[in-house]
Amino acid sequence: MNVLTGEKEFFKDIKQIQFEGLESDNPLAFRWYNPDQIVAGKTMAEHFKFACAYWHSFNGDGGDPFGGATHIFPWDKQSDPLARAKDKMDAAFEFITKLQIPYYCFHDVDLVDFTNDVVENENRLQQIVAYAKQKQQDSGVKLLWGTANLFSNPRYMNGAATNPDFHVLAHGAAQVKAALDATIALGGENYVFWGGREGYMSLLNTNMKREQEHLAKFLHLAKDYARKNGFKGTFFIEPKPCEPSKHQYDYDAATVTGFLRQYDLLCDFKLNLEVNHATLAGHTFQHELQVAVDAGLLGSMDANRGDYQNGWDTDQFPNDINELTECMLIILEAGGFQGGGVNFDAKIRRNSTDLADLVHAHVGGMDLFARALVTADRILTNSDYQKIRKNRYSSFDDGEGASFEKGGHTLETLRDFAAANGEPEVRSGQQEFLENLINRYI
Ligand code: XLS
Ligand code: NI
Ligand code: NI
């Protein structure tokens, strides 16, 4: 029986996943993630606001550019689009509830298949949104963010908001309007723009300046519409440098920050950072997080990991405790996410063909985050980690260094200081000590 509806049960062999602690040998239990456990003044559930990504978990079929579906899952059987959409939603809410995941995220086309008819799509979306509303009420599961898929339909091959054809841009707007309506109706806490094809394949046929101006105008219109209709949440831009486009305008956190500032969008927009996108941009995820934090724009994150050998957006589930502990240090020091949470934008492998694989993937990811959080909190509370970094800058805390920070120096007075004080003392950056410190706490 379905835990929520009393109808079909899709994950029959999976019981409610519980916290069993470090002593447990049960692979279908949490060993670290204990939603009510308080760490650094907040429960684990509040720290993370975990979300299940509808597209990978319930639309993904294991297909890749070289071959078709390998995940033949039982919610994908019915031929009528709405009946199939409801089965899929039953399965999704059963899964999400059994895993104690408090949130989910979707693209419009994940919920129900779209056609090329704007009105028909709006109708379908409204019907499935009504169904989702009931599901949310019955389960307590909430919507972390909604978004519109403006990259799969062939009409978007040259982008949506940045398409050289106004007619295509208008179709993108129609989709965003309906996706915003759906997000608002479902009490969505945020709305995401990931501009997969908002970029170019070749500059030979592209007016980059004009396209970026269109993107800014488009975002303003979307924001104004949502605000007018009562949306109080945050808009997120999700940076990614490339794939599917050769070059994407939302390249990385720094690029998007500059864009938001240039086009007067900083009040309403923040960043949704994805681990694998950082890898593609040639950054560590820690770097992307710190750029966002320093700009006051750390909104949310898409959790996954890339493949360090092949350089694609492989969207694997996270499993690197070392990397994630360093990330949690930054997130904790920043006071957490602004409005968002941790969305598992990750997919099981093509040859992971059991329903249980989807469960193991999420259990592992959630446990990894919990372990990283506990570790990072202990590092911040018990070790010299922060002190060592602070001390590195101590020459700016008083005397002439402090005066420099306050604007009390000229190039000439700096020269005079150098001439009068001889060669600076050699001071170690202590990188290996700090790396060992992190490992010691893990
Ligand atoms: C693709 C993106 C996408 C967004 C939502 O690489 O990560 O899944 O998160 O459109
Ligand atoms: Ni993503
Ligand atoms: Ni991605």
Side-chain angles (χ1 to χ4, degrees):
M1 294 288 268
N2 184 306
V3 285
L4 290 174
T5 62
E7 293 152 16
K8 294 174 221 175
E9 185 175 23
F10 291 94
F11 295 84
K12 284 202 192 64
D13 300 331
I14 308 298
K15 306 210 171 44
Q16 184 73 41
I17 308 292
Q18 307 279 13
F19 172 71
E20 293 184 8
L22 280 177
E23 300 308 307
S24 173
D25 202 26
N26 176 6
L28 291 177
F30 298 120
R31 300 172 75 245
W32 291 90
Y33 182 62
N34 182 4
D36 299 324
Q37 185 180 326
I38 309 261
V39 181
K42 282 193 280 185
T43 65
M44 284 194 178
E46 287 165 337
H47 273 287
F48 299 126
K49 294 169 75 179
F50 284 126
C52 176
Y54 218 85
W55 52 103
H56 285 312
S57 291
F58 298 99
N59 295 289
D61 61 8
D64 70 12
F66 302 93
T70 54
H71 301 165
I72 315 296
F73 288 151
W75 51 83
D76 206 22
K77 294 227 150 72
Q78 308 221 47
S79 54
D80 175 66
L82 249 129
R84 196 167 62 252
K86 286 181 178 171
D87 267 3
K88 187 163 62 178
M89 191 163 279
D90 289 345
F93 275 79
E94 182 193 330
F95 175 83
I96 291 168
T97 310
K98 281 183 169 173
L99 267 288
Q100 300 195 51
I101 302 175
Y103 288 89
Y104 70 120
C105 300
F106 61 71
H107 302 88
D108 46 4
V109 303
D110 302 335
L111 295 187
V112 62
D113 296 345
F114 269 29
T115 65
N116 277 339
D117 180 337
V118 172
V119 178
E120 169 67 13
N121 293 342
E122 288 168 349
N123 287 338
R124 285 186 181 191
L125 198 57
Q126 278 160 18
Q127 288 183 66
I128 196 70
V129 161
Y131 195 69
K133 205 169 187 170
Q134 193 58 51
K135 287 276 181 192
Q136 289 185 202
Q137 262 168 33
D138 294 345
S139 63
V141 172
K142 293 183 278 187
L143 177 62
L144 189 64
W145 48 263
T147 186
N149 176 328
L150 303 184
F151 43 89
S152 293
N153 189 297
R155 81 168 77 87
Y156 299 125
M157 65 183 173
N158 295 308
T162 63
N163 199 291
D165 182 351
F166 170 72
H167 192 169
V168 177
L169 179 147
H171 270 275
Q175 249 184 277
V176 169
K177 178 184 174 296
L180 281 167
D181 290 341
T183 303
I184 294 169
L186 293 172
E189 296 183 13
N190 308 279
Y191 186 89
V192 164
F193 291 90
W194 170 63
R197 296 189 198 272
E198 311 294 22
Y200 61 82
M201 303 306 278
S202 167
L203 270 183
L204 295 174
N205 59 15
T206 302
N207 183 335
M208 190 155 64
K209 184 165 192 286
R210 205 165 179 187
E211 290 195 2
Q212 295 207 34
E213 283 165 4
H214 292 172
L215 176 59
K217 186 144 274 166
F218 188 96
L219 294 174
H220 269 284
L221 296 181
K223 182 236 335 158
D224 291 345
Y225 173 79
R227 292 291 183 234
K228 193 174 71 191
N229 285 279
F231 179 65
K232 301 243 158 27
T234 305
F235 300 92
F236 296 141
I237 306 260
E238 183 176 325
K240 185 175 182 184
C242 56
E243 202 199 319
S245 299
K246 151 86 179 140
H247 182 101
Q248 280 156 210
Y249 296 137
D250 301 330
Y251 194 95
D252 60 3
T255 308
V256 175
T257 302
F259 177 89
L260 293 176
R261 185 167 291 126
Q262 181 177 355
Y263 291 105
D264 193 23
L265 289 160
L266 279 174
C267 292
D268 298 86
F269 284 75
K270 296 201 181 337
L271 300 174
N272 178 38
L273 300 174
E274 178 166 319
V275 184
N276 205 159
H277 298 179
T279 316
L280 292 179
H283 301 309
T284 61
F285 191 56
Q286 295 88 307
H287 171 88
E288 288 294 86
L289 284 169
Q290 195 64 58
V291 168
V293 169
D294 292 346
L297 294 177
L298 180 62
S300 202
M301 75 172 276
D302 276 6
N304 58 22
R305 77 178 202 273
D307 181 308
Y308 291 113
Q309 280 73 49
N310 70 14
W312 301 328
D313 195 13
T314 54
D315 286 344
Q316 290 160 252
F317 274 81
N319 75 352
D320 182 340
I321 185 63
N322 205 297
E323 173 183 63
L324 201 60
T325 303
E326 291 189 17
C327 292
M328 282 313 303
L329 283 170
I330 297 169
I331 295 167
L332 264 185
E333 283 191 281
F337 301 109
Q338 297 184 44
V342 176
N343 168 47
F344 286 107
D345 193 355
K347 60 187 175 202
I348 51 177
R349 298 302 87 192
R350 175 169 170 76
N351 59 359
S352 298
T353 48
D354 294 342
L355 282 177
D357 293 322
L358 201 55
V359 183
H360 288 298
H362 284 83
V363 168
M366 293 162 80
D367 251 359
L368 188 80
F369 268 85
R371 183 175 176 189
L373 171 70
V374 169
T375 311
D377 178 50
R378 284 171 46 236
I379 293 172
L380 292 175
T381 339
N382 301 335
S383 82
D384 282 344
Y385 166 68
Q386 280 174 311
K387 201 166 111 197
I388 290 171
R389 191 176 51 199
K390 186 168 184 302
N391 281 345
R392 250 189 124 202
Y393 297 87
S394 58
S395 63
F396 290 95
D397 289 343
D398 45 37
E400 293 308 313
S403 158
F404 164 79
E405 283 194 349
K406 291 198 197 84
H409 269 283
T410 63
L411 202 62
E412 295 94 315
T413 60
L414 291 176
R415 180 257 160 221
D416 294 346
F417 182 92
N421 286 281
E423 194 49 28
E425 212 182 294
V426 175
R427 290 179 69 191
S428 171
Q430 294 179 272
Q431 182 171 331
E432 294 78 5
F433 176 89
L434 288 164
E435 286 170 351
N436 291 358
L437 185 145
I438 301 220
N439 281 344
R440 253 181 12 242
Y441 277 83
I442 290 170

